[in-house]
Amino acid sequence: QVQLVESGGGLVQPGGSLRLSCAASGTIFRIGVMGWYRQAPGKQRELVATLSPGGTPNYADSVKGRFTVSRDNAKTTVYLQMNSLKPEDTAVYYCYADRVDTNVGTVTDAWGHGTRVTVSS
C-alpha cells in the first residue's frame, strides 16, 4: 500500500557529512509530517527532525545547527543533510510519515525499515 524506502546511510568519519533520502511509493495523494527518527544500540528510538507539509521544521536539540531536513516539491520524498557528524550520531535512522493519504485509504504512522549510519574513525 505505502512504502517508505530510505537510502544514503553508511560509514563516515567524525566531522564528515551524509545525506539520507526517503521516498514514499504508492498512489499517494498527500503526506502530512515526514521526517527522521533514530535508534542507537541499547537506546530508545528518538526524534531527529521532522518537516510539515507547510515547511515547518522540528529538530532535536542534539542536531540543531548540524542537520537539515527538507522535502521535494511533490512532498513525497524527505531528505536529511547531516553535517559535522559525531560518533554519538551513530544509529539506525528511520523515515517516518504521520499520515499518508492514498487511493485505497489513509495510512497513519508509517515507518521505513531504516538505514544505518556509523560515525567512526
Side-chain angles (χ1 to χ4, degrees):
Q1 188 176 5
V2 171
Q3 280 192 312
L4 301 180
V5 181
E6 302 104 332
S7 61
L11 172 65
V12 63
Q13 292 187 339
S17 298
L18 279 177
R19 188 186 194 218
L20 306 183
S21 300
C22 170
S25 64
T27 303
I28 296 168
F29 298 143
R30 185 182 182 275
I31 302 178
V33 172
M34 286 188 83
W36 297 90
Y37 285 70
R38 67 186 181 188
Q39 188 166 17
K43 295 188 177 181
Q44 290 189 330
R45 192 172 297 189
E46 63 178 6
L47 168 75
V48 177
T50 60
L51 190 63
S52 73
T56 301
N58 181 33
Y59 292 99
D61 287 342
S62 59
V63 307
K64 283 180 181 176
R66 300 188 298 123
F67 291 9
T68 302
V69 62
S70 61
R71 288 169 76 164
D72 68 335
N73 288 336
K75 304 290 192 289
T76 59
T77 300
V78 65
Y79 305 96
L80 186 68
Q81 178 66 43
M82 304 185 293
N83 298 329
S84 302
L85 282 160
K86 305 175 181 180
E88 50 264 43
D89 294 317
T90 295
V92 176
Y93 285 69
Y94 295 92
C95 181
Y96 170 78
D98 70 343
R99 178 190 174 103
V100 184
D101 297 327
T102 76
N103 62 322
V104 295
T106 295
V107 176
T108 56
D109 294 328
W111 292 91
H113 291 297
T115 185
R116 185 174 301 276
V117 173
T118 303
V119 184
S120 175
S121 55

mmCIF file of all heavy atoms in Angstrom, residues 8-20 38-41 62-63 66-67 80-93 115-121:
data_model
loop_
_atom_site.group_PDB
_atom_site.id
_atom_site.type_symbol
_atom_site.label_atom_id
_atom_site.label_comp_id
_atom_site.label_asym_id
_atom_site.label_seq_id
_atom_site.Cartn_x
_atom_site.Cartn_y
_atom_site.Cartn_z
ATOM 1 N N GLY A 8 21.148 6.092 1.634
ATOM 2 C CA GLY A 8 22.154 7.088 1.929
ATOM 3 C C GLY A 8 22.971 6.860 3.181
ATOM 4 O O GLY A 8 23.885 7.634 3.466
ATOM 5 N N GLY A 9 22.665 5.823 3.937
ATOM 6 C CA GLY A 9 23.448 5.556 5.132
ATOM 7 C C GLY A 9 24.822 5.028 4.787
ATOM 8 O O GLY A 9 25.146 4.762 3.630
ATOM 9 N N GLY A 10 25.661 4.868 5.814
ATOM 10 C CA GLY A 10 26.996 4.344 5.584
ATOM 11 C C GLY A 10 27.937 4.696 6.695
ATOM 12 O O GLY A 10 27.528 5.141 7.774
ATOM 13 N N LEU A 11 29.206 4.513 6.422
ATOM 14 C CA LEU A 11 30.276 4.791 7.380
ATOM 15 C C LEU A 11 30.927 6.121 7.012
ATOM 16 O O LEU A 11 31.277 6.348 5.845
ATOM 17 C CB LEU A 11 31.314 3.669 7.348
ATOM 18 C CG LEU A 11 32.596 3.884 8.153
ATOM 19 C CD1 LEU A 11 32.283 3.954 9.642
ATOM 20 C CD2 LEU A 11 33.587 2.764 7.858
ATOM 21 N N VAL A 12 31.086 6.981 8.001
ATOM 22 C CA VAL A 12 31.700 8.284 7.777
ATOM 23 C C VAL A 12 32.567 8.627 8.969
ATOM 24 O O VAL A 12 32.284 8.208 10.099
ATOM 25 C CB VAL A 12 30.613 9.361 7.537
ATOM 26 C CG1 VAL A 12 29.735 9.537 8.759
ATOM 27 C CG2 VAL A 12 31.217 10.675 7.089
ATOM 28 N N GLN A 13 33.611 9.395 8.725
ATOM 29 C CA GLN A 13 34.492 9.806 9.806
ATOM 30 C C GLN A 13 33.880 10.965 10.582
ATOM 31 O O GLN A 13 33.060 11.734 10.031
ATOM 32 C CB GLN A 13 35.846 10.224 9.244
ATOM 33 C CG GLN A 13 36.653 9.090 8.654
ATOM 34 C CD GLN A 13 38.056 9.518 8.267
ATOM 35 O OE1 GLN A 13 38.330 10.706 8.078
ATOM 36 N NE2 GLN A 13 38.958 8.556 8.148
ATOM 37 N N PRO A 14 34.256 11.127 11.838
ATOM 38 C CA PRO A 14 33.778 12.287 12.602
ATOM 39 C C PRO A 14 34.094 13.584 11.863
ATOM 40 O O PRO A 14 35.186 13.748 11.302
ATOM 41 C CB PRO A 14 34.564 12.178 13.908
ATOM 42 C CG PRO A 14 34.834 10.716 14.052
ATOM 43 C CD PRO A 14 35.077 10.216 12.660
ATOM 44 N N GLY A 15 33.123 14.473 11.867
ATOM 45 C CA GLY A 15 33.250 15.728 11.141
ATOM 46 C C GLY A 15 32.766 15.665 9.709
ATOM 47 O O GLY A 15 32.648 16.704 9.039
ATOM 48 N N GLY A 16 32.482 14.479 9.234
ATOM 49 C CA GLY A 16 32.035 14.300 7.855
ATOM 50 C C GLY A 16 30.549 14.553 7.682
ATOM 51 O O GLY A 16 29.843 14.956 8.614
ATOM 52 N N SER A 17 30.086 14.308 6.459
ATOM 53 C CA SER A 17 28.690 14.568 6.100
ATOM 54 C C SER A 17 28.084 13.366 5.393
ATOM 55 O O SER A 17 28.791 12.581 4.746
ATOM 56 C CB SER A 17 28.597 15.782 5.159
ATOM 57 O OG SER A 17 29.072 16.949 5.773
ATOM 58 N N LEU A 18 26.781 13.229 5.544
ATOM 59 C CA LEU A 18 25.989 12.249 4.817
ATOM 60 C C LEU A 18 24.642 12.872 4.503
ATOM 61 O O LEU A 18 24.169 13.745 5.239
ATOM 62 C CB LEU A 18 25.760 10.983 5.637
ATOM 63 C CG LEU A 18 26.847 9.918 5.709
ATOM 64 C CD1 LEU A 18 26.405 8.801 6.655
ATOM 65 C CD2 LEU A 18 27.165 9.352 4.342
ATOM 66 N N ARG A 19 24.036 12.384 3.417
ATOM 67 C CA ARG A 19 22.683 12.820 3.084
ATOM 68 C C ARG A 19 21.798 11.591 2.951
ATOM 69 O O ARG A 19 22.059 10.710 2.142
ATOM 70 C CB ARG A 19 22.675 13.596 1.770
ATOM 71 C CG ARG A 19 21.329 14.243 1.473
ATOM 72 C CD ARG A 19 21.338 14.868 0.112
ATOM 73 N NE ARG A 19 20.206 15.763 -0.092
ATOM 74 C CZ ARG A 19 19.544 15.867 -1.228
ATOM 75 N NH1 ARG A 19 19.891 15.131 -2.266
ATOM 76 N NH2 ARG A 19 18.542 16.717 -1.346
ATOM 77 N N LEU A 20 20.757 11.554 3.779
ATOM 78 C CA LEU A 20 19.780 10.473 3.729
ATOM 79 C C LEU A 20 18.585 10.900 2.883
ATOM 80 O O LEU A 20 18.204 12.075 2.888
ATOM 81 C CB LEU A 20 19.296 10.102 5.125
ATOM 82 C CG LEU A 20 20.366 9.744 6.162
ATOM 83 C CD1 LEU A 20 19.691 9.333 7.472
ATOM 84 C CD2 LEU A 20 21.272 8.650 5.660
ATOM 85 N N ARG A 38 15.811 8.109 14.994
ATOM 86 C CA ARG A 38 16.979 7.223 15.025
ATOM 87 C C ARG A 38 16.977 6.402 16.301
ATOM 88 O O ARG A 38 16.395 6.798 17.317
ATOM 89 C CB ARG A 38 18.285 8.016 14.915
ATOM 90 C CG ARG A 38 18.590 8.903 16.102
ATOM 91 C CD ARG A 38 19.830 9.756 15.821
ATOM 92 N NE ARG A 38 20.169 10.617 16.958
ATOM 93 C CZ ARG A 38 21.108 11.558 16.912
ATOM 94 N NH1 ARG A 38 21.821 11.753 15.796
ATOM 95 N NH2 ARG A 38 21.364 12.295 17.982
ATOM 96 N N GLN A 39 17.653 5.261 16.207
ATOM 97 C CA GLN A 39 17.785 4.385 17.370
ATOM 98 C C GLN A 39 19.217 3.881 17.445
ATOM 99 O O GLN A 39 19.689 3.178 16.544
ATOM 100 C CB GLN A 39 16.811 3.213 17.282
ATOM 101 C CG GLN A 39 16.763 2.384 18.541
ATOM 102 C CD GLN A 39 15.565 1.450 18.577
ATOM 103 O OE1 GLN A 39 14.927 1.180 17.565
ATOM 104 N NE2 GLN A 39 15.246 0.957 19.763
ATOM 105 N N ALA A 40 19.887 4.281 18.498
ATOM 106 C CA ALA A 40 21.245 3.826 18.749
ATOM 107 C C ALA A 40 21.200 2.512 19.521
ATOM 108 O O ALA A 40 20.202 2.211 20.186
ATOM 109 C CB ALA A 40 22.014 4.879 19.531
ATOM 110 N N PRO A 41 22.272 1.732 19.474
ATOM 111 C CA PRO A 41 22.284 0.450 20.194
ATOM 112 C C PRO A 41 22.000 0.644 21.680
ATOM 113 O O PRO A 41 22.613 1.502 22.340
ATOM 114 C CB PRO A 41 23.707 -0.054 19.965
ATOM 115 C CG PRO A 41 24.142 0.583 18.689
ATOM 116 C CD PRO A 41 23.493 1.928 18.673
ATOM 117 N N SER A 62 19.987 18.034 19.929
ATOM 118 C CA SER A 62 21.315 17.473 19.689
ATOM 119 C C SER A 62 21.779 17.633 18.238
ATOM 120 O O SER A 62 22.974 17.468 17.954
ATOM 121 C CB SER A 62 21.322 15.988 20.063
ATOM 122 O OG SER A 62 20.375 15.283 19.301
ATOM 123 N N VAL A 63 20.866 17.930 17.326
ATOM 124 C CA VAL A 63 21.257 18.039 15.917
ATOM 125 C C VAL A 63 21.068 19.437 15.354
ATOM 126 O O VAL A 63 21.429 19.699 14.201
ATOM 127 C CB VAL A 63 20.496 17.018 15.037
ATOM 128 C CG1 VAL A 63 20.649 15.607 15.602
ATOM 129 C CG2 VAL A 63 19.032 17.377 14.875
ATOM 130 N N ARG A 66 23.403 21.385 12.800
ATOM 131 C CA ARG A 66 24.230 20.426 12.065
ATOM 132 C C ARG A 66 23.432 19.680 10.990
ATOM 133 O O ARG A 66 23.962 19.346 9.943
ATOM 134 C CB ARG A 66 24.841 19.405 13.024
ATOM 135 C CG ARG A 66 25.727 20.013 14.093
ATOM 136 C CD ARG A 66 26.453 18.929 14.884
ATOM 137 N NE ARG A 66 25.528 18.049 15.599
ATOM 138 C CZ ARG A 66 25.501 16.732 15.442
ATOM 139 N NH1 ARG A 66 26.324 16.136 14.596
ATOM 140 N NH2 ARG A 66 24.650 15.998 16.154
ATOM 141 N N PHE A 67 22.180 19.400 11.283
ATOM 142 C CA PHE A 67 21.329 18.628 10.365
ATOM 143 C C PHE A 67 20.273 19.545 9.760
ATOM 144 O O PHE A 67 19.787 20.476 10.416
ATOM 145 C CB PHE A 67 20.615 17.499 11.101
ATOM 146 C CG PHE A 67 21.492 16.376 11.581
ATOM 147 C CD1 PHE A 67 22.880 16.455 11.540
ATOM 148 C CD2 PHE A 67 20.914 15.215 12.086
ATOM 149 C CE1 PHE A 67 23.675 15.430 11.998
ATOM 150 C CE2 PHE A 67 21.695 14.165 12.536
ATOM 151 C CZ PHE A 67 23.077 14.276 12.499
ATOM 152 N N LEU A 80 17.586 14.240 4.689
ATOM 153 C CA LEU A 80 18.253 14.684 5.912
ATOM 154 C C LEU A 80 19.722 14.905 5.573
ATOM 155 O O LEU A 80 20.460 13.946 5.335
ATOM 156 C CB LEU A 80 18.112 13.657 7.039
ATOM 157 C CG LEU A 80 18.664 14.112 8.381
ATOM 158 C CD1 LEU A 80 17.811 15.261 8.952
ATOM 159 C CD2 LEU A 80 18.708 12.953 9.378
ATOM 160 N N GLN A 81 20.116 16.166 5.516
ATOM 161 C CA GLN A 81 21.522 16.509 5.313
ATOM 162 C C GLN A 81 22.181 16.570 6.686
ATOM 163 O O GLN A 81 21.764 17.359 7.539
ATOM 164 C CB GLN A 81 21.646 17.854 4.605
ATOM 165 C CG GLN A 81 23.083 18.304 4.398
ATOM 166 C CD GLN A 81 23.853 17.404 3.454
ATOM 167 O OE1 GLN A 81 23.345 17.002 2.425
ATOM 168 N NE2 GLN A 81 25.098 17.089 3.816
ATOM 169 N N MET A 82 23.175 15.729 6.880
ATOM 170 C CA MET A 82 23.840 15.640 8.173
ATOM 171 C C MET A 82 25.288 16.093 8.015
ATOM 172 O O MET A 82 26.065 15.475 7.274
ATOM 173 C CB MET A 82 23.793 14.197 8.686
ATOM 174 C CG MET A 82 22.391 13.635 8.784
ATOM 175 S SD MET A 82 22.335 11.988 9.531
ATOM 176 C CE MET A 82 23.183 11.036 8.278
ATOM 177 N N ASN A 83 25.628 17.173 8.685
ATOM 178 C CA ASN A 83 26.983 17.714 8.655
ATOM 179 C C ASN A 83 27.606 17.630 10.048
ATOM 180 O O ASN A 83 26.906 17.463 11.048
ATOM 181 C CB ASN A 83 26.961 19.169 8.185
ATOM 182 C CG ASN A 83 26.422 19.326 6.772
ATOM 183 O OD1 ASN A 83 26.582 18.443 5.923
ATOM 184 N ND2 ASN A 83 25.764 20.451 6.518
ATOM 185 N N SER A 84 28.922 17.782 10.085
ATOM 186 C CA SER A 84 29.649 17.762 11.368
ATOM 187 C C SER A 84 29.250 16.563 12.206
ATOM 188 O O SER A 84 28.952 16.689 13.406
ATOM 189 C CB SER A 84 29.387 19.067 12.136
ATOM 190 O OG SER A 84 29.771 20.186 11.374
ATOM 191 N N LEU A 85 29.244 15.418 11.592
ATOM 192 C CA LEU A 85 28.781 14.214 12.281
ATOM 193 C C LEU A 85 29.705 13.844 13.428
ATOM 194 O O LEU A 85 30.933 14.033 13.364
ATOM 195 C CB LEU A 85 28.669 13.059 11.290
ATOM 196 C CG LEU A 85 27.402 13.127 10.428
ATOM 197 C CD1 LEU A 85 27.551 12.280 9.170
ATOM 198 C CD2 LEU A 85 26.190 12.670 11.221
ATOM 199 N N LYS A 86 29.089 13.308 14.482
ATOM 200 C CA LYS A 86 29.789 12.906 15.688
ATOM 201 C C LYS A 86 29.578 11.405 15.918
ATOM 202 O O LYS A 86 28.567 10.848 15.461
ATOM 203 C CB LYS A 86 29.243 13.672 16.891
ATOM 204 C CG LYS A 86 29.282 15.179 16.739
ATOM 205 C CD LYS A 86 28.598 15.846 17.933
ATOM 206 C CE LYS A 86 28.593 17.356 17.801
ATOM 207 N NZ LYS A 86 27.923 18.006 18.957
ATOM 208 N N PRO A 87 30.474 10.769 16.654
ATOM 209 C CA PRO A 87 30.262 9.344 16.954
ATOM 210 C C PRO A 87 28.909 9.070 17.609
ATOM 211 O O PRO A 87 28.303 8.020 17.353
ATOM 212 C CB PRO A 87 31.417 9.021 17.902
ATOM 213 C CG PRO A 87 32.501 9.964 17.483
ATOM 214 C CD PRO A 87 31.784 11.237 17.112
ATOM 215 N N GLU A 88 28.408 10.011 18.396
ATOM 216 C CA GLU A 88 27.121 9.807 19.050
ATOM 217 C C GLU A 88 25.931 9.893 18.096
ATOM 218 O O GLU A 88 24.796 9.641 18.493
ATOM 219 C CB GLU A 88 26.920 10.794 20.208
ATOM 220 C CG GLU A 88 27.175 12.236 19.865
ATOM 221 C CD GLU A 88 28.593 12.683 20.234
ATOM 222 O OE1 GLU A 88 29.549 11.916 19.972
ATOM 223 O OE2 GLU A 88 28.727 13.811 20.763
ATOM 224 N N ASP A 89 26.188 10.246 16.841
ATOM 225 C CA ASP A 89 25.129 10.211 15.827
ATOM 226 C C ASP A 89 24.967 8.807 15.240
ATOM 227 O O ASP A 89 24.047 8.574 14.448
ATOM 228 C CB ASP A 89 25.442 11.185 14.686
ATOM 229 C CG ASP A 89 25.429 12.635 15.125
ATOM 230 O OD1 ASP A 89 24.516 13.012 15.882
ATOM 231 O OD2 ASP A 89 26.331 13.384 14.715
ATOM 232 N N THR A 90 25.841 7.900 15.620
ATOM 233 C CA THR A 90 25.753 6.530 15.129
ATOM 234 C C THR A 90 24.434 5.893 15.562
ATOM 235 O O THR A 90 24.102 5.884 16.748
ATOM 236 C CB THR A 90 26.927 5.693 15.659
ATOM 237 O OG1 THR A 90 28.149 6.217 15.114
ATOM 238 C CG2 THR A 90 26.781 4.232 15.281
ATOM 239 N N ALA A 91 23.681 5.395 14.585
ATOM 240 C CA ALA A 91 22.367 4.825 14.870
ATOM 241 C C ALA A 91 21.771 4.291 13.568
ATOM 242 O O ALA A 91 22.316 4.530 12.479
ATOM 243 C CB ALA A 91 21.433 5.888 15.455
ATOM 244 N N VAL A 92 20.658 3.596 13.713
ATOM 245 C CA VAL A 92 19.824 3.294 12.556
ATOM 246 C C VAL A 92 18.818 4.429 12.429
ATOM 247 O O VAL A 92 18.133 4.763 13.402
ATOM 248 C CB VAL A 92 19.114 1.943 12.707
ATOM 249 C CG1 VAL A 92 18.181 1.702 11.521
ATOM 250 C CG2 VAL A 92 20.128 0.816 12.833
ATOM 251 N N TYR A 93 18.741 5.020 11.262
ATOM 252 C CA TYR A 93 17.862 6.147 11.000
ATOM 253 C C TYR A 93 16.620 5.660 10.258
ATOM 254 O O TYR A 93 16.724 4.997 9.221
ATOM 255 C CB TYR A 93 18.595 7.210 10.191
ATOM 256 C CG TYR A 93 19.574 8.001 11.027
ATOM 257 C CD1 TYR A 93 20.733 7.401 11.521
ATOM 258 C CD2 TYR A 93 19.333 9.331 11.352
ATOM 259 C CE1 TYR A 93 21.623 8.105 12.310
ATOM 260 C CE2 TYR A 93 20.216 10.053 12.141
ATOM 261 C CZ TYR A 93 21.359 9.427 12.615
ATOM 262 O OH TYR A 93 22.233 10.137 13.403
ATOM 263 N N THR A 115 18.021 2.849 7.844
ATOM 264 C CA THR A 115 19.331 2.841 7.192
ATOM 265 C C THR A 115 20.380 3.159 8.252
ATOM 266 O O THR A 115 20.184 4.060 9.071
ATOM 267 C CB THR A 115 19.385 3.842 6.025
ATOM 268 O OG1 THR A 115 20.644 3.721 5.347
ATOM 269 C CG2 THR A 115 19.192 5.287 6.462
ATOM 270 N N ARG A 116 21.453 2.401 8.235
ATOM 271 C CA ARG A 116 22.440 2.518 9.313
ATOM 272 C C ARG A 116 23.454 3.599 8.999
ATOM 273 O O ARG A 116 24.010 3.666 7.886
ATOM 274 C CB ARG A 116 23.151 1.184 9.504
ATOM 275 C CG ARG A 116 24.113 1.160 10.688
ATOM 276 C CD ARG A 116 24.656 -0.244 10.902
ATOM 277 N NE ARG A 116 23.597 -1.209 11.159
ATOM 278 C CZ ARG A 116 23.065 -1.423 12.351
ATOM 279 N NH1 ARG A 116 23.488 -0.739 13.400
ATOM 280 N NH2 ARG A 116 22.111 -2.331 12.502
ATOM 281 N N VAL A 117 23.714 4.414 10.000
ATOM 282 C CA VAL A 117 24.751 5.441 9.928
ATOM 283 C C VAL A 117 25.774 5.154 11.015
ATOM 284 O O VAL A 117 25.407 5.039 12.195
ATOM 285 C CB VAL A 117 24.162 6.857 10.108
ATOM 286 C CG1 VAL A 117 25.275 7.899 10.214
ATOM 287 C CG2 VAL A 117 23.212 7.194 8.957
ATOM 288 N N THR A 118 27.021 5.035 10.615
ATOM 289 C CA THR A 118 28.103 4.790 11.570
ATOM 290 C C THR A 118 29.129 5.903 11.430
ATOM 291 O O THR A 118 29.649 6.134 10.338
ATOM 292 C CB THR A 118 28.764 3.429 11.331
ATOM 293 O OG1 THR A 118 27.778 2.396 11.406
ATOM 294 C CG2 THR A 118 29.856 3.167 12.357
ATOM 295 N N VAL A 119 29.385 6.580 12.534
ATOM 296 C CA VAL A 119 30.378 7.665 12.553
ATOM 297 C C VAL A 119 31.557 7.178 13.385
ATOM 298 O O VAL A 119 31.468 7.033 14.602
ATOM 299 C CB VAL A 119 29.792 8.956 13.133
ATOM 300 C CG1 VAL A 119 30.824 10.085 13.033
ATOM 301 C CG2 VAL A 119 28.498 9.327 12.429
ATOM 302 N N SER A 120 32.658 6.943 12.697
ATOM 303 C CA SER A 120 33.818 6.365 13.373
ATOM 304 C C SER A 120 35.070 6.636 12.568
ATOM 305 O O SER A 120 35.033 6.696 11.339
ATOM 306 C CB SER A 120 33.629 4.862 13.544
ATOM 307 O OG SER A 120 34.788 4.264 14.091
ATOM 308 N N SER A 121 36.173 6.782 13.285
ATOM 309 C CA SER A 121 37.458 6.951 12.613
ATOM 310 C C SER A 121 38.147 5.601 12.453
ATOM 311 O O SER A 121 39.244 5.525 11.901
ATOM 312 C CB SER A 121 38.340 7.925 13.385
ATOM 313 O OG SER A 121 38.476 7.506 14.729
#
